[in-house]
Amino acid sequence: MDRRDGTERDAALGRAWTDDEPWEFLTNLTRLGNRMGGSGGERRAAGLVANALLDAGVRDVREEPFEMRAWTRGSSTLALADGGREFETVALPYSPPGDVTGELVDVGHGTPDEVDDRDVAGKIAVASTTTPPGGRFVHRMEKFSYAVERGAEAFVFVNHVPGQLPPTGSLQFDEEAAAPAVGVSKESGGWLTDYAEDGAEARLTVEAETGGGESRNVVGRLGPDTDEEIVLLAHYDAHDIAEGALDNGCGIATVVTAARILADLDLPVGVRVAGVGCEETGLTGAEHLAAELDHDRIKTVVNVDGAGRFRDLVAMTHTSEATADVARTVADETRHPIQVESEPHPFSDQWPFVRAGVPALQLHSDSGERGRGWGHTHADTRDKVDDRNIREHGMLAALLVEELAGRDVSALPRLDADELADAFRAADFETGMRAAGLWPADWE
C-alpha cells in the first residue's frame, strides 16, 4: 500500500500534524489529578475519554462499567526500629494493612537468584526498581511475589532514578497482596542498604483498605461493520500519587489522535476503539473487554501503553512475526524509525488477548534509559510531555492500524499456545510469573 497516495489520508495526517486537540485533551485529563482505578477521578476521566472519542468521529461510544477491587491508600511509615531515622514512603497498591518489624536485607535488583542468595525469611526485603543490564526487565510483581514466597515479611521497592521520588506500582492483579510493601527514593535506598549491611532492624507500617469498587471501559467503533475487527486500546487510569501524564495520559491521547485520523479513512474492516480502566491495578478493564469479545473475530489488538512519551516509537510484537512485518513496513514507507521488539510480557493490556492467541502490537516509546523514568512517581506530570510526540505517534498508530486492516486474515496467524509458553520460558519469565500467580494453567 503506497501511503504517499490518497487525498483523504494526506489531509487527515496533515491536520494531525498541527492539531491542538491532543494537548488540550491531555491538559483536561491531568487536571483531574487522581485517576486511580475505581475512584471518582477515574469516572470523570472516562467521561472525558468518551467525549474526546465522539469528537474524533468514533461512533456508538458508550461506557461499560465493571466490578473491581478498589484499593484505598492510607498512611505508611518506615523507620529504624531503634527509634532512629524515618524515611518517606509510598505504599504500593494492594498492600494490605500491616505493622512489621524485622531485619533489613538488601536483595539487590530483586531477581530470583539474588533473593535465593539472601536469607529473607522473617525479614524486610529491599529491592531496586531496575534489573541487571543484558537481560529482560524484571517486573515489580515478580520481585515482590518471589521474595514473599521465600519468607519475606515485608517489601521495600527502591527507585533507581534520583530525585527523592518514592515509586509506586501494584503488587497483585486486582486482589490484596500477601504482605505490606512500600516504595522509597533512591536516596533513601542508599541508606537502607547501609543499614542492611549492619544488620539493622526497621519497622514498616501500612494503613490501607481493599474492597469492592466499580470502574468502566469506554468503547466505540470506527469503519464498517464487518465480521473481523481490530481492537485499538489504551488505558486512561493512573496512580493516585501524580497526574499520570506520561503513564498513560500520553497513550490515551495517542489513541484519540489516531482515531481522528482513522475516522477519515476508508477502512476495509471495523476498528473497535477502547479506553480501558484499571490497568495499573490489574489489567482489569482489558480483562473485562477481552471477556466480552469474540476472539475469533479479532484480527489483532493494538495496545498503546507508553507511546507518545518520548521521541522514538517502539513496537512490541509479543512473538508475532506478522505484526513485526507490519511495523517494519510502516517504518519503511514513512521513513520514520520504529524499533521492533519481539519478546513478550504479561504486564500490559495486550496480555488478555495474547494469552488467547490474538496477535498484538504494543506501542511504546524509548527514552534511552532503562525503566520507567518519571513514571509511577510524583514527577509524572504534564510538564514532562512534548505533544509533538503524541501527534507523531498518533499518526504512526493510525497507519499501523490501516496496514493491519488491509492485511488478509491469513497473514495474521493466531499465536500458538505452546510456542508462546516456550517464548516466555526462554525469556526467563516462568519463575516470576508463577510466584505472582500469572502463569496460565493451560501452559502446564
Side-chain angles (χ1 to χ4, degrees):
M1 185 181 298
D2 187 348
R3 301 185 185 286
R4 290 168 295 184
D5 296 333
T7 302
E8 290 182 352
R9 180 190 302 112
D10 291 348
L13 294 172
R15 286 191 293 272
W17 184 251
T18 58
D19 195 356
D20 291 332
E21 290 296 330
W23 183 253
E24 292 178 8
F25 170 69
L26 182 70
T27 295
N28 290 331
L29 194 66
T30 53
R31 186 177 281 130
L32 294 173
N34 177 15
R35 304 200 307 277
M36 191 74 166
S39 69
E42 191 201 38
R43 286 193 297 276
R44 290 189 290 275
L48 288 178
V49 173
N51 289 336
L53 291 178
L54 283 167
D55 185 65
V58 181
R59 68 180 187 278
D60 302 329
V61 175
R62 63 192 182 281
E63 296 183 23
E64 297 181 344
F66 58 87
E67 296 180 356
M68 43 76 70
R69 301 290 289 168
W71 182 81
T72 303
R73 181 186 307 281
S75 62
S76 61
T77 63
L78 176 65
L80 298 181
D82 63 6
R85 185 168 184 173
E86 183 171 330
F87 301 92
E88 180 186 4
T89 61
V90 168
L92 303 187
Y94 291 128
S95 172
D99 187 336
V100 174
T101 299
E103 182 182 338
L104 294 166
V105 55
D106 177 17
V107 295
H109 300 95
T111 63
D113 287 345
E114 289 172 299
V115 172
D116 287 340
D117 283 344
R118 293 1 181 234
D119 175 17
V120 300
K123 302 178 182 179
I124 300 175
V126 180
S128 172
T129 56
T130 192
T131 45
R136 73 172 180 87
F137 198 85
V138 182
H139 195 272
R140 167 192 63 257
M141 286 177 59
E142 300 176 81
K143 299 179 183 187
F144 167 80
S145 298
Y146 194 80
V148 171
E149 187 178 84
R150 290 296 184 267
E153 292 291 327
F155 183 82
V156 179
F157 202 40
V158 179
N159 201 346
H160 69 283
V161 177
Q164 294 289 356
L165 295 170
T168 189
S170 291
L171 301 170
Q172 295 284 159
F173 278 175
D174 199 38
E175 63 180 359
E176 190 169 271
V182 298
V184 300
S185 70
K186 177 183 176 70
E187 293 79 4
S188 294
W191 284 107
L192 293 175
T193 297
D194 287 351
Y195 288 123
E197 289 177 356
D198 295 336
E201 288 193 341
R203 181 183 180 188
L204 185 152
T205 68
V206 173
E207 295 179 2
E209 182 179 354
T210 303
E214 183 182 89
S215 179
R216 59 200 60 219
N217 292 335
V218 182
V219 184
R221 294 189 59 80
L222 287 167
D225 293 323
T226 51
D227 289 338
E228 298 167 0
E229 66 178 4
I230 292 170
V231 176
L232 171 63
L233 63 86
H235 77 89
Y236 66 88
D237 63 305
H239 284 289
D240 59 337
I241 66 169
E243 297 170 6
L246 297 168
D247 188 9
N248 190 38
C250 287
I252 189 65
T254 297
V255 163
V256 172
T257 302
R260 191 178 300 277
I261 297 167
L262 291 167
D264 287 337
L265 304 187
D266 185 16
L267 298 169
V269 299
V271 176
R272 189 179 299 264
V273 184
V276 296
C278 288
E279 189 270 351
E280 299 291 3
T281 53
L283 316 185
T284 317
E287 291 281 4
H288 177 79
L289 180 66
E292 293 290 309
L293 301 181
D294 182 351
H295 298 158
D296 291 335
R297 293 185 56 198
I298 303 173
K299 289 183 68 173
T300 188
V301 60
V302 179
N303 171 31
V304 184
D305 188 6
R309 299 180 195 174
F310 309 112
R311 183 75 178 97
D312 294 330
L313 188 66
V314 178
M316 300 178 176
T317 64
H318 297 275
T319 76
S320 172
E321 182 53 38
T323 60
D325 181 68
V326 167
R328 294 187 188 104
T329 296
V330 171
D332 289 344
E333 293 185 355
T334 59
R335 299 182 298 284
H336 192 295
I338 299 176
Q339 179 182 333
V340 176
E341 296 181 0
S342 63
E343 187 177 275
H345 71 80
F347 298 111
S348 190
D349 288 321
Q350 79 289 328
W351 171 236
F353 298 91
V354 167
R355 194 176 65 224
V358 178
L361 275 178
Q362 179 191 348
L363 301 184
H364 200 64
S365 54
D366 184 15
S367 67
E369 298 179 355
R370 194 165 172 83
R372 297 182 185 276
W374 303 118
H376 287 203
T377 75
H378 297 299
D380 184 359
T381 50
R382 188 188 64 161
D383 59 293
K384 311 299 190 307
V385 176
D386 183 340
D387 65 316
R388 292 175 299 178
N389 297 334
I390 297 175
R391 295 197 302 270
E392 287 189 18
H393 290 183
M395 295 161 71
L396 289 169
L399 294 175
L400 286 164
V401 170
E402 183 192 30
E403 183 69 28
L404 288 163
R407 298 276 175 117
D408 187 86
V409 69
S410 62
L412 293 165
R414 302 282 101 173
L415 303 177
D416 179 81
D418 291 337
E419 293 177 359
L420 193 59
D422 288 344
F424 272 89
R425 290 190 177 100
D428 199 27
F429 268 103
E430 184 171 7
T431 298
M433 286 177 65
R434 284 187 183 277
L438 300 179
W439 191 259
D442 58 358
W443 286 7
E444 301 295 339

